[in-house]
Amino acid sequence: AKAAGGDRFVFYTRDMTDRAETRLRLESGLREAVAARSFELVYQPKIEAASGRLTGFEALIRWRHDGAAVSPADFIPVAEDTGLIIEIGRWVLEEACRTATRWALDHGPVPVAVNVSARQLADPGFARLVEQVLQRHGTPAHLLELEITETVIMKDVRHHLPTLNRLRALGVRIAIDDFGTGYSSLAYLRQLPVDVLKIDRSFVNDLPHAPDIASTVIALAQRLLLSTVAEGVETAEQRHWLAEAGCDCLQGYLISRPLAAEAAEAMVMTAFAR
Ligand code: C2E
Ligand code: CA
Ligand code: CA
Ligand code: CA
């Protein structure tokens, strides 16, 4: 009986140690990756629902660690906790702007959206950083869109408002990501300097049988003169429903998986060759 209790205790500790070890390995790997700039961006296209025309891309970070791809859903939270997200986020911004400028010069202007984390947005120097990066790469501000999740914005609207206003004044577009998952106060939403609502994938996933949330977000966006993007569109039925409902843009595996820069550039080239 004593042994059983002892075993359980040992097992528990080992489990904790394993988890702490995994976390530490991830953390030191991330530090090395930041120093070596060994990340990559992939680009997922967005299209106009009515016409199928290419309207832009979302840049998504990729990291290979010890020969395996680590999901950003796993390492971005660690980067947030450790503060490494500040440097990673700066790299993402630079890389996306460099790409948007190159595509604009070689083919034509295509907006690129970048995800911004809580810690980045809270950084007092963030708006200035964005301005400097745009200048450094000669990127027209309207080609940069910043995606900020609803939860991050709404958690502290009053604190973030000045930064959002500064970004908007630069001419950068602002999208509220994963919209519908938080609890936006409508009064606040009206005052926020935002351009785009991205309907969270979980609600797109419910289409066409449970369309209430998607309908509501689209109606709300139309009322506030915001544009809508549906994320995670996977089926022809979803695409059809969204186009009929007046959703402006679509993004998801049905249209395309995220693409390496070269494949994305080929799409840009085709879009401007018509
Ligand atoms: P997110 O911003 O909501 O990005 C959408 C995620 O859904 C991406 O996953 C994308 O690959 C995936 N996705 C796109 N279409 C479909 C679809 O049709 N079906 C399904 N099942 N999934 C789809 P990914 O690239 O693994 O990124 C996960 C999350 O990690 C992102 O969610 C974002 O919150 C974060 N993230 C990614 N890149 C960055 C970055 O550069 N900076 C920051 N701060 N966060 C990032
Ligand atoms: Ca996003
Ligand atoms: Ca999203
Ligand atoms: Ca999401």
Side-chain angles (χ1 to χ4, degrees):
K2 191 178 153 210
D7 279 351
R8 208 168 328 155
F9 180 70
V10 168
F11 198 74
Y12 179 60
T13 332
R14 191 181 295 151
D15 188 48
M16 296 251 303
T17 313
D18 280 358
R19 231 178 310 156
E21 256 175 39
T22 307
R23 161 79 193 219
L24 267 179
R25 220 174 304 126
L26 198 64
E27 208 179 299
S28 72
L30 260 185
R31 277 185 209 287
E32 283 167 32
V34 167
R37 298 279 185 273
S38 54
F39 299 102
E40 212 181 305
L41 288 185
V42 290
Y43 300 87
Q44 189 177 34
K46 294 182 245 181
I47 62 166
E48 190 174 68
S51 65
R53 187 181 62 90
L54 178 71
T55 56
F57 290 89
E58 176 179 0
L60 296 156
I61 196 167
R62 293 293 178 263
W63 177 38
R64 292 189 67 79
H65 179 46
D66 294 341
V70 188
S71 165
D74 292 330
F75 75 80
I76 292 290
V78 177
E80 275 263 306
D81 284 355
T82 52
L84 287 167
I85 192 68
I86 297 293
E87 258 198 82
I88 295 173
R90 190 184 311 149
W91 178 83
V92 169
L93 205 55
E94 297 257 6
E95 183 66 16
C97 286
R98 190 174 357 209
T99 302
T101 304
R102 189 160 41 82
W103 288 347
L105 291 173
D106 292 351
H107 312 294
V110 181
V112 175
V114 164
N115 291 286
V116 176
S117 77
R119 191 114 170 213
Q120 283 177 279
L121 188 67
D123 189 310
F126 184 65
R128 192 159 15 97
L129 170 73
V130 171
E131 185 175 16
Q132 285 167 351
V133 171
L134 290 171
Q135 266 171 14
R136 184 151 53 237
H137 297 283
T139 315
H142 67 273
L143 293 188
L144 178 65
E145 189 170 296
L146 300 176
E147 296 193 3
I148 307 165
T149 65
E150 183 184 22
T151 334
V152 166
I153 295 185
M154 294 304 166
K155 206 165 162 192
D156 199 350
V157 181
R158 288 204 317 168
H159 182 243
H160 292 316
L161 200 53
T163 302
L164 295 175
N165 281 324
R166 234 171 287 145
L167 290 167
R168 203 19 159 29
L170 294 174
V172 167
R173 285 162 59 85
I174 297 172
I176 306 189
D177 205 353
D178 301 350
F179 192 78
T181 56
Y183 297 90
S184 283
S185 137
L186 291 187
Y188 270 138
L189 192 58
R190 246 187 34 217
Q191 295 170 27
L192 282 179
V194 300
D195 306 278
V196 180
L197 299 184
K198 291 194 81 175
I199 307 169
D200 189 65
R201 189 174 50 162
S202 58
F203 307 120
V204 173
N205 203 42
D206 288 341
L207 300 174
H209 52 276
D212 290 357
I213 310 274
S215 298
T216 305
V217 175
I218 293 167
L220 179 66
Q222 287 172 345
R223 248 337 249 279
L224 299 176
L225 304 177
L226 304 175
S227 118
T228 41
V229 177
E231 62 175 26
V233 180
E234 292 183 350
T235 71
E237 289 74 27
Q238 292 165 355
R239 177 179 183 163
H240 181 75
W241 188 94
L242 287 158
E244 288 288 301
C247 180
D248 298 305
C249 296
L250 311 176
Q251 182 184 5
Y253 294 165
L254 179 72
I255 291 96
S256 168
R257 298 238 162 201
L259 303 168
E262 303 74 48
E265 181 171 2
M267 268 190 89
V268 178
M269 197 154 56
T270 310
F272 284 98
R274 295 195 188 152

